[in-house]
Amino acid sequence: MAVQSGAVTTDEVITSTGVVVTGHGQRQAWADKVLPAVEEVRPGVFSIPVPMPGNPLRYVLVYALVTATGGLALIDTGWNTDDSWDTLVAGIHATGHDLSDITDVFITHLHPDHFGLVPRVLEHADPRLGMHRNDARFLYHRDEAQLARELADAQVDLRELGAPTDVIDAGIREIVRLPQGRTMDVELVGDAPLDIPGWNLRAIWTPGHTAGHLCFADDDAGIIFTGDHLLPRISPNVSTNSFQNPSPLADYLTSLANTEHLGDLEALPSHEYRFRGLAGRVTHLLSHHEERLTEITEAITEVPGSTAWEVTRSVTWSRPFEQLSLPLSRMALRETNAHLLVLEERGILARSGTEPVHWFVTTPTDREDTGT
């Protein structure tokens, strides 16, 4: 497998999402719906696209950094399938390294396309593992009683949102886990240095997409690995669920504001392509969510007492709602609920009932009474 140069050309493209594209080969591959090449995007920094079979995002960009001691540090690993594993291994070999050279694995967040191949990596290497504590806690063993409670809580939650029977989850699966007896070596809390030889990488806690999502920035190298927190074209899913903080969208909006002032770092995201313009992308995403909050408020103004499910069906999506699969419709429902919670926190909406919860727009008097 050949490695492509990732040098930035002069024909940078400013997109409608507030970014300047720097990953031109990646962007063209995305448009062509093919897997991009392995690229050396900076001296000693390689992007390795790992396929995600059956997922509309198509691939996750795993990053490999050559350390000062000759080892290899990975940021994320990819989805746990044989094809994904073979592609990751070939990509590592393309950097001039073997699996046994992997000394560190840091995970942006606990989703299967980012963590999934960690157990296979551990079969061939003994790296230092690190991620944020808020996500790491869900990797460890939970007994049958705990799993049963999580299932019951999820079903109650979806009934509160007004989901029909066929949308309510039939069960909870542990889609990612560590091998028996293995623990995380580094459970990060907040922002912290990663201590990778030859690099000045630091973790930046950016909760929202998950409760423990992390970005990794190296100011000396002028780069930031943004995970799913900042993508060049799409907004990450921010949903309520049992693995999240109580108000994940409020977390995400705060995280966006915190990353707006990081400077002119080149963003190396987990999907799509590299870009510059963190501040512009943040502004665009904040505007997107404010528009969404307004759209949801208008929907409830038009139909007072709507459930989260009814609101979800009434607002716009990237495709007609009826075309969404059951898993995608659940994600859409939980994303809508995250917006409803922010509107409630702002005093714009109030709820009534339990199973399901009904939503109403508050009056100016209501807001004065609550101090909002």
Side-chain angles (χ1 to χ4, degrees):
M1 180 182 290
V3 176
Q4 195 173 87
S5 170
V8 177
T9 60
T10 57
D11 57 337
E12 296 177 330
V13 180
I14 300 176
T15 74
S16 61
T17 61
V19 307
V20 178
V21 177
T22 55
H24 301 289
Q26 293 173 337
R27 188 171 190 255
Q28 187 59 53
W30 180 263
D32 295 339
K33 298 184 178 181
V34 298
L35 205 65
V38 175
E39 287 189 59
E40 188 170 15
V41 301
R42 283 284 196 287
V45 182
F46 297 85
S47 67
I48 303 173
V50 177
M52 299 164 56
N55 191 297
L57 287 175
R58 299 202 296 276
Y59 59 84
V60 61
L61 292 168
V62 172
Y63 295 95
L65 292 78
V66 181
T67 72
T69 56
L72 207 63
L74 297 185
I75 293 178
D76 293 336
T77 60
W79 199 284
N80 187 16
T81 70
D82 290 340
D83 185 33
S84 301
W85 173 248
D86 291 342
T87 305
L88 176 64
V89 172
I92 289 171
H93 288 163
T95 73
H97 293 79
D98 294 319
L99 290 168
S100 59
D101 295 325
I102 299 173
T103 57
D104 300 271
V105 177
F106 280 92
I107 304 297
T108 59
H109 62 289
L110 188 66
H111 280 165
D113 51 327
H114 300 261
F115 185 90
L117 286 173
V118 166
R120 294 208 202 192
V121 169
L122 293 176
E123 294 173 5
H124 301 271
D126 186 25
R128 184 175 55 131
L129 296 180
M131 67 189 308
H132 196 277
R133 180 175 295 173
N134 283 2
D135 282 0
R137 59 184 167 160
F138 295 109
L139 287 170
Y140 303 127
H141 175 74
R142 304 194 296 284
D143 62 29
E144 292 301 319
Q146 289 172 306
L147 292 173
R149 284 195 296 272
E150 289 178 7
L151 170 59
D153 289 345
Q155 292 173 330
V156 169
D157 177 54
L158 287 165
R159 286 196 295 271
E160 288 180 350
L161 301 185
T165 302
D166 62 342
V167 175
I168 294 176
D169 287 316
I172 294 177
R173 295 177 297 163
E174 287 187 277
I175 52 179
V176 290
R177 66 180 73 191
L178 282 169
Q180 187 69 30
R182 188 63 159 87
T183 61
M184 298 300 295
D185 301 299
V186 181
E187 289 194 9
L188 296 160
V189 180
D191 302 351
L194 300 190
D195 298 323
I196 296 175
W199 297 94
N200 189 28
L201 276 169
R202 57 191 172 94
I204 302 171
W205 184 35
T206 51
H209 184 56
T210 69
H213 191 287
L214 292 169
C215 294
F216 304 115
D218 189 320
D219 297 295
D220 295 342
I223 55 178
I224 179 170
F225 302 93
T226 59
D228 286 359
H229 175 65
L230 288 175
L231 302 173
R233 192 184 60 89
I234 61 175
S235 173
N237 178 264
V238 179
S239 299
T240 56
N241 59 62
S242 58
F243 304 103
Q244 275 281 23
N245 290 332
S247 185
L249 181 59
D251 289 343
Y252 183 62
L253 297 178
T254 299
S255 296
L256 283 176
N258 289 340
T259 50
E260 185 175 12
H261 307 293
L262 289 176
D264 188 30
L265 302 176
E266 183 179 16
L268 279 59
S270 290
H271 303 285
E272 302 180 327
Y273 39 83
R274 303 191 312 281
F275 66 93
R276 285 191 183 278
L278 295 180
R281 188 65 182 123
V282 166
T283 297
H284 186 274
L285 285 167
L286 289 172
S287 176
H288 160 75
H289 283 290
E290 289 304 321
E291 291 171 2
R292 193 62 158 175
L293 291 165
T294 298
E295 183 183 15
I296 288 172
T297 303
E298 291 173 349
I300 296 174
T301 300
E302 186 173 336
V303 186
S306 293
T307 65
W309 175 253
E310 290 165 342
V311 174
T312 303
R313 291 182 56 86
S314 69
V315 296
T316 55
W317 299 96
S318 60
R319 69 190 79 169
F321 183 82
E322 292 72 19
Q323 295 180 14
L324 298 180
S325 64
L326 285 180
L328 286 178
S329 67
R330 279 194 293 269
M331 289 177 65
L333 172 60
R334 293 185 180 280
E335 183 172 304
T336 298
N337 191 51
H339 285 77
L340 290 168
L341 293 179
V342 167
L343 289 167
E344 182 182 38
E345 291 162 10
R346 293 182 180 182
I348 295 171
L349 296 182
R351 68 174 74 193
S352 175
T354 53
E355 291 188 26
V357 172
H358 296 272
W359 292 94
F360 300 85
V361 176
T362 61
T363 65
T365 303
D366 295 330
R367 295 169 200 171
E368 290 172 5
D369 290 344
T370 59
T372 59

